Amino acid sequence: MKTTLQIKLIPDDTQRKALEDTMRVFNAACDVIADVAFREQCASKFVLQKLVYAHVRKQFGLSAQLTIRAIAKVVDAYKRDKSKQCVFKPTGAVVYDQRILSFKGLEAASILTLQGRLTVAMHMGDYQRLQFGRGHGQADLVRVDGVFYLLLVIETPTAPPIDPNGFIGVDLGIVQIACDSDGEAFSGETVENTRRRDHALRQSLQACGSRSARRHLQRIRRNEARFRRNQNHVLSKTLVAKAKDTGRGIKLEQLKHIRERTTVRKSDRAKHSGWSFFQLQSFIAYKAKREGVVVQYVDPRNTSRQCAACGHLDKANRKSQSRFQCVSCGHVANADQNAAINIAARANVNSPRVAHDDNNGWFECSHKPRPLGRGN
Ligand SMILES: [Zn+2]
């Protein structure tokens, strides 16, 4: 299984400028190539290369191999959706392979830029150091909140799937980030409390709009994202371990409907939660695959309104955020657990929206009408 390792780069000022320039030019080249790909309806790297290679090299001054990588990036994006022309963010990922990226031990990366090869210092934690050897020199250069990272593709060993003896259903929410069909709940209190505490501060910073206010806001967002990411790692690890220990698989809701289902007060909050749910599901999916735990996806409609005891479906069954009481059979339960039991009992829809994508949720291409999101 391919996963990615995120490695922080520590460029000096000159190197930073070179990386930024390379990124901008690479993505500008992608836009030009995408124009040709769309016009010619061409999804073949080979054919597209014949059409654009000489012109792109000349116009953008890209090296041969970076030009090839740009063509490959466009073809990958175009193949995903041929109905629209892809548009690339100026700070979108630059795709590297072993010909244009190499490593000097664990300390530095030698990266091809418009200014030639640069040796840029890297910072790795213990986990990264341990996993680093699994890489094959294929990596994306990305910039998030002004920080450069290499997303290194690594090969993670997987266990053969274990034939599951029953399933754990998992209900995702906001007050309780997750609740499983055994009734074990993972509270979202801490992160929501922090969000509430920071809310007034965020608003005043947003209203202020000065450079330092924007920086402060960015820092708050980064801290929140880190907190959620860590929380999602802990939670997914716990769930997968529990499933493995009890010989069960995991059933999750197909994510499309989650935002409609969850009551949200603020669109901002919905956005963050939506992202967090997606991330949590991705983490569960790839950790499960690594351990041989089977993950299935179910239709999420009405999981919170249906009685897990008798199957009666009624909006009135849900008495409050946390309380479920069936108007037909009188069954009383915690609302999230009731939903999780329904999820565990439902049939596999067999089309996971969140199979673990190799890129850890980093998308290569943004089609025009969609507002450009975070990172890449
Ligand atoms: Zn009932």
Side-chain angles (χ1 to χ4, degrees), residues 73-315:
K73 178 175 173 173
V74 170
V75 167
D76 285 346
Y78 178 64
K79 273 185 186 159
R80 270 198 290 271
D81 183 357
K82 294 182 180 174
S83 67
K84 298 178 208 114
Q85 182 181 332
C86 286
V87 178
F88 296 89
K89 281 176 74 177
T91 52
V94 184
V95 189
Y96 281 91
D97 60 28
Q98 61 274 26
R99 294 196 208 180
I100 43 180
L101 170 77
S102 56
F103 295 98
K104 311 225 180 254
L106 299 173
E107 309 306 323
S110 167
I111 305 171
L112 185 66
T113 69
L114 295 176
Q115 274 74 51
R117 269 189 180 266
L118 299 177
T119 302
V120 183
M122 304 189 291
H123 175 78
M124 277 194 257
D126 292 341
Y127 175 77
Q128 277 101 336
R129 283 171 181 277
L130 217 62
Q131 298 291 319
F132 184 74
R134 299 189 192 279
H136 306 297
Q138 203 190 332
D140 283 4
L141 173 71
V142 298
R143 201 184 70 171
V144 186
D145 294 335
V147 181
F148 282 100
Y149 296 94
L150 283 174
L151 301 180
L152 184 66
V153 179
I154 58 171
E155 191 62 40
T156 309
T158 58
I162 304 158
D163 192 19
N165 183 16
F167 283 87
I168 301 177
V170 182
D171 178 63
L172 302 180
I174 286 176
V175 176
Q176 310 218 89
I177 287 189
C179 178
D180 70 24
S181 47
D182 298 346
E184 189 174 352
F186 304 88
S187 171
E189 275 302 326
T190 334
V191 72
E192 276 312 319
N193 284 348
T194 322
R195 274 188 75 72
R196 245 171 264 140
R197 195 194 65 206
D198 287 344
H199 188 66
L201 175 63
R202 289 161 75 101
Q203 281 197 323
S204 68
L205 286 171
Q206 242 147 21
C208 174
S210 73
R211 195 179 157 84
S212 81
R214 277 206 307 276
R215 284 210 176 138
H216 195 157
L217 258 177
Q218 216 173 47
R219 196 158 53 236
I220 293 177
R221 278 198 207 107
R222 255 203 306 268
N223 287 342
E224 265 178 25
R226 198 179 305 127
F227 185 90
R228 274 167 195 270
R229 189 181 175 84
N230 184 51
Q231 196 173 43
N232 283 342
H233 268 305
V234 172
L235 213 159
S236 52
K237 197 174 166 187
T238 311
L239 260 171
V240 169
K242 182 175 176 177
K244 192 178 186 185
D245 289 348
T246 55
R248 288 180 289 180
I250 295 173
K251 278 194 187 178
L252 301 166
E253 293 173 303
Q254 231 186 357
L255 264 182
K256 198 173 124 202
H257 300 276
I258 197 140
R259 269 190 258 172
E260 296 155 33
R261 194 180 66 76
T262 316
T263 323
V264 267
R265 283 199 304 261
K266 297 238 184 294
S267 59
D268 175 51
R269 189 163 139 171
K271 198 175 76 191
H272 278 265
S273 304
W275 171 255
S276 187
F277 289 146
F278 177 82
Q279 187 183 59
L280 178 56
Q281 285 216 353
S282 305
F283 287 179
I284 293 172
Y286 89 77
K287 288 182 165 83
K289 199 168 172 186
R290 204 167 58 189
E291 300 296 327
V293 170
V294 170
V295 175
Q296 292 186 353
Y297 298 83
V298 306
D299 184 340
R301 271 172 294 180
N302 295 316
T303 49
S304 58
R305 292 174 178 174
Q306 190 168 23
C307 174
C310 75
H312 181 70
L313 179 63
D314 198 321
K315 197 177 174 182

Side-chain angles (χ1 to χ4, degrees), residues 306-312 317 324 326-331:
Q306 190 168 23
C307 174
C310 75
H312 181 70
N317 283 347
F324 184 95
C326 178
V327 293
S328 173
C329 76
H331 172 68

